Amino acid sequence: MVRRPLLRLFAATAALLAVTACDEAAVILTSGTASTLQVTAFVDVDGDGAFGAGDQAIADLTITLTGPASLSATTGADGVASFTELTPGGYIVSAAGDVPEGAVLATAASPTIIAPFQGADLTTEFRYAFAPGEISGRLFRDDNDNGSYDPDADLPAAGIVVTATRASDGEEFSTTTDADGAFQITTLRPDTYVVTFGLPSDATLVGGDDVTVVVGSEGAITIEAEFEGELLIDIADARTAPIGQSVTVEGVITWAPDFDDRVLWIQDATGGLSVFDFNLPSGLQIGDRIRMTGSAGAFDGERQISSLTFFEVLSGGPPPVPLQVTGASIAANQNLGELVTINGTVEQVDVLSFGNQMILLRDEGGTTFTVYADSRTGVEDTAWVIGQVYGVTGPLGTDTDVSGTSLEDAHPNRVEVRGLDDVQAGGATVPIANARTAIGATVAIEGVITWAPSFDDRVLFIQDATGGITTFDFDLSDFAPTGGFEAGMWIRAVATVGTFRGEAQLGSFESVDVLGTVPVPAPMGVTGASINAGDDQGELVTITATVDAVSNPSFDNQLVTMTDGSGTTFTVYGDGRTGLQLSDWTVGTRYRVTGVLGFDDRNTPAAQLEPRSPADLVAAPGTNVSIAEARVLAGETVTVSGTVSRRIGWSGGDDSMFIQDASGGITVFGFSGVPAVSPGDVVEVTGAIGAFNGEVQIGTDVVTVTSTGGPAPTPIAATGAQLNGGLFQGQLVTYSGTVTVAEEFNSFGTASLGVTDAFGATVTVFVDNRSGLDIDDFSVGQELVIVGVPGFFDGNDPGAQIEVIIDTDVTFVP
């Protein structure tokens, strides 16, 4: 979140007002150096926000200054009115006169300027824009050939990009058709526009490739566009398509039962459904992305696609992440057809024909739901124990046929498990951050091992995107694979959460499964203050600091006191069995120390950094580093180079910018400001690495613009889960979703939004009122496409958020 102190500006303004409030001060001010003021009035024809050759100057406007003196002047043919010999003080600027027809004021009606005591050359402007017009309409297939859209018979073109290209300069304005094929492009200045439709390759626009229209000031153009051929639509739209209508969808396979080659479950970002066809190809796998054309249908209430006329496997890939649901959301018909997961306690097990089972569970909120297990999946009735907690995963199906058992009839929606791996005793995995606080509870977690000490087979350090935790269990080695546990193993474990000397631990293990191998996470940069505060416990971290003292508490162990670049002292504990020795530490020398954050409440402070080996202790690095490396060098002064993605110019001298290179991104902030740069410019920055409310920043000791006019970074398409997990911090991203929370953050209208993506993850979006948007522009239910920079505010939960810098970075989907 970008909230910068404005104390200097406020103090200077307050002092000036205080001085002008007394007669003596007025005398002093009039003795100062006079200022000049140039006021420009123009219509911003090209819409770039600045007066240029393509714009229309406004002559004969009367410009009036009200302040220590009352002055007026008239704009000339160039749209400029000039004032000289301005007495120091504050002035309100106003304009009166005729403006071109259809032009509306786009700046403040009465801007304020301050003529300083020491004099200055001042400017302000009255910028107008032509009242915008719009293009709207509908794109559909006229299946009943009656020449107009009939929702009961025709196919609306949902999810198709519509682009209006302005003829005068080639600028493009785009939107996407909604579920009814409707679209609307607003705020278009008067011009000729060529409208195109991003139809798939097997569909064509009737009457040509595009439509040309002329938009006038406040004009509204309506287009009824028809297409021919097959149309790719979202699965959510396919679920509601009329029965028998031909639809084309793309999706990822979430289940291809090996015991029934007629059935598939697929989903995309909008929803899921089942597929039933006697001629499905063989060898389909979970994670395959497929495209198919068939008839929309239903069986016992289950929405399906059947009678396929086309089927193609586009690619393989990982399966979708199951969506966390509740008993209440299942009962409310939410997420039908999608891959879901839920925890529940077994209350009843009904064994049906052929050994199939219907299981009644109760979730943590007290709501019951059902699970259906086909015995051919390998799940038998002995897999369930009444009174035990399970995590269950599978497609969320439905069966409204009331001829089943009473349990089936009362709960038509059910999770359909795909195999034994979908039935997890102890519950579905929980984030490690949540597990840390569940003292006394048995939890299931997944994470990567960051340290498996070779000298102690009772201990592991594990972390996921939310946090880290250690283990201690005398029988942990019983679960180890051949060769033992190693860093980089991705494991799933069921264990009980406890504490020892204040440190959260996993113990009394019920199971540990090695799911694969992944890269060990990059250490997170921390500060001495965050270490002492107990932040990031159990996680792999790094810090650069100076050794103050080294002692030997026992054996070959080391207790090291260090001070970071901010002057904060913290503790490092080196276990001699890691290979680290007392002689490796030199008082007065700066090191970068990496390790896991442990805790021992016998010490003050209790938190301590624990290196894993001699490789975790290195001499302080050089200053020319990548941005990804710089982000973890808290307190270190470094030099980085990057491309500007966005610049913040709201606060005068307290300006900021976001830069990124191939490795990552970072916020640049300094009270002395940054140069006048634009997205695409390349800069070199030297400064100290720090954090503000958890957001990593680099200071501005030296800022050099090394090139200008290059391409701006392309936004990375990000999901809510990725953003909440801390990915892409400081980099430009794009994110789509629905506004589910719209709250005013402060009295100025700054908005704090909760925007939920198609997978159910909600991300905080922070929209500063100075961006050109405020809380009045947002409401629950809006569909947004957002371009912004992921930042961090430790007052949020989770702390990650998207920061919107300019109003054009938010697209309101009609």
Side-chain angles (χ1 to χ4, degrees):
M1 173 174 299
V2 180
R3 299 188 194 83
R4 309 296 181 228
L6 303 181
L7 298 180
R8 295 181 180 177
L9 177 60
F10 291 161
T13 305
L16 180 58
L17 293 176
V19 169
T20 58
C22 66
D23 294 339
E24 182 180 357
V27 173
I28 295 173
L29 286 177
T30 57
S31 66
T33 302
S35 296
T36 65
L37 172 64
Q38 180 174 291
V39 181
T40 304
F42 67 99
V43 179
D44 187 15
V45 176
D46 59 11
D48 66 355
F51 185 44
D55 297 327
Q56 179 179 347
I58 302 177
D60 299 324
L61 283 187
T62 299
I63 308 299
T64 301
L65 306 186
T66 304
S70 295
L71 305 170
S72 64
T74 302
T75 57
D78 59 356
V80 175
S82 298
F83 298 85
T84 60
E85 300 300 322
L86 289 186
T87 302
Y91 293 84
I92 296 175
V93 186
S94 60
D98 296 330
V99 299
E101 183 178 356
V104 294
L105 186 62
T107 54
S110 300
T112 300
I113 59 100
I114 302 294
F117 180 80
Q118 64 270 32
D121 294 326
L122 308 173
T123 62
T124 191
E125 67 183 19
F126 290 94
R127 175 167 48 88
Y128 292 79
F130 283 118
E134 68 175 48
I135 300 172
S136 62
R138 188 186 311 276
L139 177 64
F140 66 99
R141 188 176 65 197
D142 191 14
D143 288 348
N144 62 1
D145 293 323
N146 67 354
S148 61
Y149 176 64
D150 184 345
D152 295 327
D154 297 335
L155 176 66
I160 300 300
V161 175
V162 182
T163 302
T165 303
R166 192 159 56 206
S168 62
D169 58 8
E171 186 166 355
E172 297 180 347
F173 305 85
S174 297
T175 189
T176 303
T177 57
D178 65 13
D180 296 320
F183 63 90
Q184 183 181 39
I185 303 175
T186 60
T187 63
L188 297 174
R189 64 180 172 84
D191 211 317
T192 298
Y193 292 84
V194 178
V195 182
T196 55
F197 301 88
L199 288 164
S201 58
D202 49 2
T204 57
L205 193 69
V206 175
D209 295 332
D210 51 54
V211 179
T212 300
V213 296
V214 178
V215 177
S217 180
E218 298 184 290
I221 302 298
T222 301
I223 298 174
E224 289 293 311
E226 299 178 22
F227 75 92
E228 295 176 331
E230 298 298 332
L231 178 67
L232 179 67
I233 64 174
D234 292 336
I235 288 179
D237 295 324
R239 288 188 62 88
T240 60
I243 301 299
Q245 185 179 79
S246 176
V247 295
T248 301
V249 298
E250 283 187 10
V252 175
I253 296 175
T254 58
W255 189 18
D258 57 8
F259 53 82
D260 193 340
D261 59 9
R262 304 167 301 174
V263 175
L264 289 178
W265 291 85
I266 65 169
Q267 70 182 59
D268 63 9
T270 69
L273 47 65
S274 67
V275 180
F276 185 87
D277 193 270
F278 285 94
N279 297 307
L280 284 173
S282 60
L284 297 173
Q285 301 292 321
I286 292 176
D288 285 348
R289 175 168 287 279
I290 59 98
R291 182 176 184 181
M292 62 184 178
T293 301
S295 296
F299 181 75
D300 285 345
E302 184 89 73
R303 288 307 303 245
Q304 297 180 336
I305 294 179
S306 59
S307 303
L308 300 185
T309 59
F310 173 81
F311 191 99
E312 180 182 5
V313 178
L314 304 176
S315 63
V321 177
L323 179 67
Q324 189 78 42
V325 294
T326 65
S329 68
I330 292 174
N333 298 320
Q334 297 175 17
N335 312 114
L336 287 176
E338 298 181 60
L339 188 64
V340 301
T341 187
I342 183 173
N343 286 343
T345 302
V346 174
E347 296 192 348
Q348 180 179 335
V349 180
D350 286 356
V351 180
L352 313 177
S353 58
F354 306 107
N356 303 333
Q357 312 114 54
M358 184 67 70
I359 305 96
L360 179 69
L361 300 94
R362 188 176 298 274
D363 71 6
E364 296 171 349
T367 303
T368 55
F369 64 96
T370 56
V371 170
Y372 177 76
D374 191 305
S375 61
R376 293 173 293 178
T377 63
V379 179
E380 300 179 356
D381 62 288
T382 54
W384 311 96
V385 176
I386 292 177
Q388 185 167 330
V389 175
Y390 292 86
V392 291
T393 301
L396 184 56
T398 191
D399 184 350
T400 57
D401 182 359
V402 295
S403 62
T405 68
S406 59
L407 189 56
E408 292 177 279
D409 295 343
H411 299 81
N413 301 334
R414 71 272 183 101
V415 180
E416 303 190 12
V417 295
R418 302 165 296 176
L420 285 170
D421 289 343
D422 282 344
V423 181
Q424 301 175 343
T429 56
V430 299
I432 289 179
N434 294 348
R436 290 183 58 86
T437 62
I439 306 301
T442 297
V443 299
I445 61 98
E446 285 188 15
V448 60
I449 298 175
T450 58
W451 186 20
S454 59
F455 52 83
D456 194 339
D457 59 10
R458 304 166 298 179
V459 176
L460 297 173
F461 283 88
I462 310 164
Q463 72 180 60
D464 64 9
T466 69
I469 197 167
T470 187
T471 72
F472 189 88
D473 191 319
F474 285 97
D475 298 322
L476 184 59
S477 61
D478 293 345
F479 301 97
T482 302
F485 291 112
E486 295 181 0
M489 286 182 175
W490 185 267
I491 65 171
R492 182 180 190 274
V494 177
T496 301
V497 183
T499 60
F500 180 74
R501 293 175 180 166
E503 183 166 21
Q505 297 180 341
L506 293 176
S508 301
F509 280 82
E510 297 181 9
S511 65
V512 182
D513 297 306
V514 178
L515 306 180
T517 302
V518 299
V520 175
M524 178 172 57
V526 293
T527 65
S530 69
I531 291 174
N532 293 338
D535 298 344
D536 312 308
Q537 279 292 302
E539 296 183 62
L540 189 62
V541 302
T542 190
I543 186 171
T544 299
T546 302
V547 175
D548 299 321
V550 183
S551 63
N552 176 216
S554 61
F555 302 105
D556 293 327
N557 304 329
Q558 313 107 52
L559 197 63
V560 185
T561 302
M562 303 186 76
T563 299
D564 69 8
S566 300
T568 301
T569 299
F570 61 96
T571 301
V572 177
Y573 178 78
D575 192 307
R577 295 172 294 177
T578 64
L580 277 171
Q581 301 296 311
L582 286 167
S583 58
D584 293 326
W585 306 88
T586 301
V587 173
T589 299
R590 297 172 68 250
Y591 297 94
R592 184 193 302 172
V593 187
T594 301
V596 293
L597 281 178
F599 200 89
D600 188 337
D601 57 15
R602 297 176 301 176
N603 301 329
T604 302
Q608 58 190 21
L609 177 57
E610 301 177 13
R612 301 164 295 174
S613 72
D616 278 344
L617 181 67
V618 297
T623 57
N624 293 294
V625 296
S626 69
I627 289 178
E629 186 177 10
R631 288 184 62 88
V632 301
L633 298 178
E636 183 77 4
T637 296
V638 301
T639 298
V640 298
S641 179
T643 302
V644 177
S645 62
R646 289 292 182 270
R647 179 177 187 265
I648 300 175
W650 303 327
S651 309
D654 297 347
D655 288 354
S656 307
M657 61 181 169
F658 299 92
I659 64 172
Q660 62 188 72
D661 63 10
S663 71
I666 197 168
T667 305
V668 180
F669 172 77
F671 286 97
S672 59
V674 299
V677 293
S678 300
D681 294 348
V682 178
V683 299
E684 184 178 84
V685 182
T686 298
I689 301 297
F692 181 74
N693 285 334
E695 182 166 331
V696 178
Q697 301 179 343
I698 183 172
T700 55
D701 295 351
V702 180
V703 181
T704 304
V705 180
T706 59
S707 69
T708 60
T714 300
I716 301 167
T719 66
Q722 290 172 324
L723 296 171
N724 288 335
L727 294 182
F728 313 127
Q729 285 283 302
Q731 297 175 267
L732 197 65
V733 304
T734 182
Y735 174 74
S736 302
T738 303
V739 177
T740 50
V741 177
E743 297 177 344
E744 188 173 37
F745 183 84
N746 58 30
S747 60
F748 301 107
T750 292
S752 181
L753 310 176
V755 181
T756 302
D757 68 10
F759 299 101
T762 300
V763 172
T764 299
V765 178
F766 182 80
V767 186
D768 194 295
N769 62 292
R770 294 170 293 182
S771 68
L773 297 168
D774 59 30
I775 187 62
D776 292 337
D777 294 305
F778 300 98
S779 59
V780 172
Q782 288 174 322
E783 297 289 330
L784 304 180
V785 178
I786 300 163
V787 175
V789 180
F792 200 90
F793 177 52
D794 50 21
N796 296 338
D797 183 17
Q801 62 182 18
I802 301 178
E803 299 171 5
V804 173
I805 310 304
I806 52 178
D807 55 358
T808 54
D809 277 344
V810 177
T811 300
F812 296 87
V813 180

